[in-house]
Amino acid sequence: MKNQVPMEDLHTFIQQQMAEKQAKLLARASKKITPQQGLYIKYRLKCVGVSGADIALELGCTPVSVCNVLSGKSHSQRIERAVASKLGYPSWNEMVQHLRETAA
């Protein structure tokens, strides 16, 4: 009986674990964009005078790689970071979350 944990502590522990798991799932899901969001991002890039080809040239990758990220088909932290930076966001996740908030 010495090793028994009070029920309140157990309940708090379980809640904390569930909250951490939800935060991880949200962080993972927030990176994903829909093709429609990708088109909007491309439009916003065009408005600031930047194309996918410009980003590809700057990063030393192919325009197809940038296009795949902007269409939601693949992920690249370098490309995502560059796109977010060009649009004035500190991170890709914040940009995607902002897109979702404004679309709702």
Side-chain angles (χ1 to χ4, degrees):
M1 289 288 191
K2 290 181 189 178
N3 294 336
Q4 276 191 325
V5 177
M7 285 303 278
E8 297 84 27
D9 290 345
L10 182 61
H11 183 66
T12 303
F13 175 76
I14 291 171
Q15 283 182 327
Q16 288 173 342
Q17 293 297 312
M18 290 176 63
E20 287 175 17
K21 186 174 183 178
Q22 284 290 86
K24 286 179 184 177
L25 288 173
L26 180 62
R28 223 178 293 136
S30 67
K31 284 187 168 188
K32 296 180 181 178
I33 62 170
T34 65
Q36 292 80 12
Q37 289 170 331
L39 286 173
Y40 182 70
I41 292 169
K42 287 178 188 177
Y43 165 75
R44 294 277 314 275
L45 285 170
K46 188 174 182 175
C47 289
V48 297
V50 177
S51 69
D54 295 334
I55 293 171
L57 185 62
E58 181 181 312
L59 297 177
C61 64
T62 66
V64 172
S65 298
V66 176
C67 185
N68 285 340
V69 170
L70 293 178
S71 64
K73 294 178 183 176
S74 66
H75 292 286
S76 164
Q77 289 182 349
R78 278 183 18 180
I79 295 171
E80 291 170 350
R81 195 177 9 227
V83 169
S85 174
K86 298 288 184 194
L87 296 177
Y89 291 94
S91 73
W92 177 263
N93 281 351
E94 288 189 33
M95 181 184 70
V96 173
Q97 288 172 350
H98 184 255
L99 282 175
R100 288 181 182 159
E101 290 169 2
T102 56

